Amino acid sequence: MAANTSPEAPLPVGEVSRLIGGWIDRLGAVWVEGQITQLSRRPGAGVVFLTLRDPSYDISVSVTCYRQVFDAVADVVGEGARVVVLAKPEWYAPRGQLSLRATEIRPVGVGELLARLEQLKKSLVAEGLFAAERKKPLPFLPQLIGLVCGRASAAERDVLENARHRWPAVRFEVRNVPVQGVHAVPQVVQAVKELDETDAVDVIIVARGGGSVEDLLPFSDEQLVRAVAACRTPVVSAIGHEPDTPLLDYVADLRASTPTDAAKRVVPDVGEEFERVRLLRDRARRCVEGFLEREERGLAHALARPSMEDPHRMVEERADHVASLVERSRRTLGHLLDRADSELTHTHARVVALSPAATLKRGYAVLQKADGHVVRDPAAVAEGEALRARVAEGTFTVARVD
């Protein structure tokens, strides 16, 4: 229940602290996981003080326990160790401090860590953070490389020396951060975000030398994995040696087996590129020379053809052929015309011979009635009916007389 207060009726600090303590006292015991960052075991003291920290976030809480509780795991637990603690929250009213009173401490073994990492890996795979289509291609020749590594570390030296040996003009923007321990995750995440926000940075390398599973745990942290997945800039993971595969390797755009391998895969070798350019130049020259030689041979072959050596000969040959065809066509046409003339004369003679005028000239006459009809039957003419007789030289009138 919220306390009823006002500017005129405020609560004293002691009362507020007492109320907070009352609320916290109602909480039960909880299992808490974290990493031990500070450990205080004073000789002869019955209580052990330690600080438990969340490696993924900048949050710590004080823990106290009786010596016999800590002595049960003292041989395997120290600063930097990950533990699971059964503890009850307590409120120390005089100082206003929250702490945990531990009744049991269990170290987190490598097997448990690997099982949790495998579970986290499956969860991230289901989200698609490791999908191949999310991978961004690396630039061929980065002008500025962001490097996240430990200060004065072998990984930093390997990356810088190998990259500059391969391409002396390459530039680096280096962020030195802790690469193990409780401060590693937040500082690595911050360094990656700063480099990603720098427009001039073309690619980011996160590098660290080899180490145990516990030493490489920061590079399997979910917060770091999600930060790399959200980067616009391509990220290269160069953690440990070939067998080491933290979750950062799966989300990065390129996984390098070692920091040295990262430098070789991110920066091209200037000598190799010069040699490649030389080979390509020679290949291009050979292609051009071969093309010119083929074209010259083709041109020579074309010029050697008879039509190119004496181009008028073809016209002359065609002219003779055309003259021959014209003469042949003229003869054929003459024959056709002569034949047609003969046939026309013959037909004309026949027409003339068979015409009515020719018949009349031989002494025949044609009788016609007044209406012009030709008389073919004597019965068709009445006695005394006037008829017109047509002969070769004209017509005259006649009449039927029985």
Side-chain angles (χ1 to χ4, degrees):
M1 296 292 292
N4 293 324
T5 61
S6 67
E8 292 75 19
L11 288 178
V13 174
E15 182 63 16
V16 172
S17 181
R18 186 187 65 79
L19 290 174
I20 294 174
W23 294 329
I24 293 177
D25 285 341
R26 290 196 291 270
L27 298 176
V30 293
W31 286 99
V32 182
E33 180 185 356
Q35 187 174 25
I36 297 176
T37 58
Q38 294 181 356
L39 177 61
S40 177
R41 297 176 64 194
R42 298 174 182 174
V47 178
V48 176
F49 298 89
L50 52 94
T51 300
L52 204 60
R53 184 183 181 86
D54 188 335
S56 300
Y57 301 94
D58 191 14
I59 299 176
S60 301
V61 64
S62 298
V63 180
T64 60
C65 65
Y66 291 112
R67 175 175 288 275
Q68 56 268 28
V69 173
F70 187 82
D71 287 345
V73 294
D75 294 337
V76 293
V77 168
E79 289 189 1
R82 296 177 70 95
V83 294
V84 176
V85 176
L86 176 61
K88 186 179 183 306
E90 291 184 346
W91 180 256
Y92 186 59
R95 293 185 181 177
Q97 291 181 342
L98 176 67
S99 63
L100 300 177
R101 171 70 68 170
T103 57
E104 184 177 353
I105 300 176
R106 296 181 183 180
V108 177
V110 174
E112 294 176 276
L113 290 176
L114 294 178
R116 293 182 187 180
L117 290 180
E118 186 62 27
Q119 184 63 34
L120 176 59
K121 177 182 175 182
K122 291 180 180 179
S123 174
L124 297 175
V125 167
E127 292 186 34
L129 295 187
F130 300 161
E133 54 269 19
R134 291 177 56 93
K135 307 294 184 184
K136 295 178 286 296
L138 270 62
F140 167 71
L141 180 58
Q143 300 298 311
L144 180 62
I145 300 175
L147 176 60
V148 180
C149 58
R151 184 179 301 277
S153 62
E156 178 182 7
R157 184 178 63 254
D158 290 344
V159 173
L160 296 181
E161 290 182 357
N162 282 278
R164 287 168 178 161
H165 176 73
R166 292 173 64 83
W167 199 275
V170 69
R171 296 181 297 116
F172 280 89
E173 183 72 21
V174 181
R175 293 289 187 276
N176 293 123
V177 296
V179 291
Q180 70 181 60
V182 294
H183 300 290
V185 173
Q187 294 197 30
V188 172
V189 170
Q190 180 63 27
V192 169
K193 288 182 178 179
E194 288 179 1
L195 293 174
D196 184 50
E197 293 171 357
T198 304
D199 294 335
V201 173
D202 298 316
V203 63
I204 300 172
I205 300 177
V206 182
R208 186 201 189 282
S212 64
V213 175
E214 293 87 346
D215 292 339
L216 301 181
L217 276 179
F219 300 96
S220 293
D221 188 86
E222 182 177 1
Q223 184 183 1
L224 176 58
V225 170
R226 294 189 181 279
V228 171
C231 283
R232 298 176 294 105
T233 309
V235 178
V236 177
S237 173
I239 306 301
H241 303 298
E242 181 65 33
D244 299 322
T245 53
L247 297 185
L248 179 62
D249 286 352
Y250 297 99
V251 74
D253 299 293
L254 176 68
R255 179 204 179 242
S257 57
T258 61
T260 299
D261 182 53
K264 293 180 178 180
R265 301 182 68 175
V266 170
V267 180
D269 184 85
V270 63
E272 293 177 358
E273 296 306 317
F274 273 124
E275 180 65 17
R276 183 177 292 110
V277 170
R278 187 188 66 78
L279 293 176
L280 290 175
R281 187 190 300 116
D282 293 343
R283 180 180 176 185
R285 183 183 295 108
R286 289 194 301 269
C287 290
V288 173
E289 291 174 350
F291 175 77
L292 292 176
E293 290 175 359
R294 288 194 302 271
E295 293 303 314
E296 287 177 353
R297 289 195 298 269
L299 182 59
H301 180 70
L303 293 175
R305 293 179 179 178
S307 59
M308 297 298 293
E309 290 182 344
D310 187 6
H312 296 286
R313 183 172 64 180
M314 180 183 295
V315 176
E316 293 170 354
E317 291 176 353
R318 293 299 179 183
D320 295 340
H321 183 62
V322 169
S324 174
L325 291 176
V326 169
E327 182 62 27
R328 180 181 175 184
S329 64
R330 182 178 292 111
R331 289 195 304 270
T332 302
L333 181 60
H335 293 327
L336 292 175
L337 291 176
D338 292 343
R339 186 184 303 169
D341 182 65
S342 176
E343 291 178 354
L344 181 60
T345 303
H346 180 69
T347 301
H348 180 266
R350 291 178 60 192
V351 169
V352 170
L354 296 176
S355 67
T359 301
L360 293 177
K361 287 182 179 180
R362 289 195 297 271
Y364 291 94
V366 178
L367 295 178
Q368 294 176 313
K369 289 185 175 185
D371 58 2
H373 284 84
V374 177
V375 177
R376 292 182 176 83
D377 187 0
V381 180
E383 184 179 356
E385 182 179 355
L387 299 175
R388 186 174 61 180
R390 183 176 182 181
V391 295
E393 298 300 331
T395 61
F396 58 89
T397 302
V398 297
R400 177 181 177 180
V401 179
D402 292 335

